[in-house]
Amino acid sequence: MTAKKKSKALRCPTCNKIVLLGSEDVPFCSDRCRRIDLGKWASGDYKISSPILDPEVLEGLSEQQRRPPQDGDDD
């Protein structure tokens, strides 16, 4: 008795079509969808944001906000 081998698949994040994991464009269904997604990242439609939880980073940020900008600062 042989078991059927299931092909794993997922959905294209751009157009929602089914994509087999063996496809060369995974996780997208095509190069077109890949480029659409890249364009959204480049234009700022997608953002990764999370709160800063590291106390040292928070302390450094608050110190920068307290000091007045000096010549040569990139503010």
Side-chain angles (χ1 to χ4, degrees):
M1 181 177 358
T2 58
K4 275 189 176 178
K5 187 176 180 180
K6 286 188 176 181
S7 296
K8 296 197 178 194
L10 50 94
R11 297 231 175 232
C12 175
T14 305
C15 70
N16 212 26
K17 287 183 184 175
I18 293 177
V19 181
L20 296 177
L21 291 180
S23 171
E24 66 182 36
D25 291 310
V26 169
F28 304 96
C29 67
S30 66
D31 188 52
R32 177 183 175 272
C33 283
R34 181 185 307 278
R35 289 174 188 256
I36 290 170
D37 186 74
L38 179 61
K40 287 182 178 183
W41 281 105
S43 68
D45 287 351
Y46 295 151
K47 295 177 182 138
I48 298 176
S49 62
S50 62
I52 299 172
L53 301 176
D54 185 347
E56 291 178 12
V57 173
L58 287 172
E59 185 178 314
L61 289 174
S62 64
E63 287 175 11
Q64 286 178 345
Q65 291 172 349
R66 284 186 288 207
R67 70 178 174 96
Q70 299 175 3
D71 290 339
D73 280 353
D74 290 334
D75 289 329

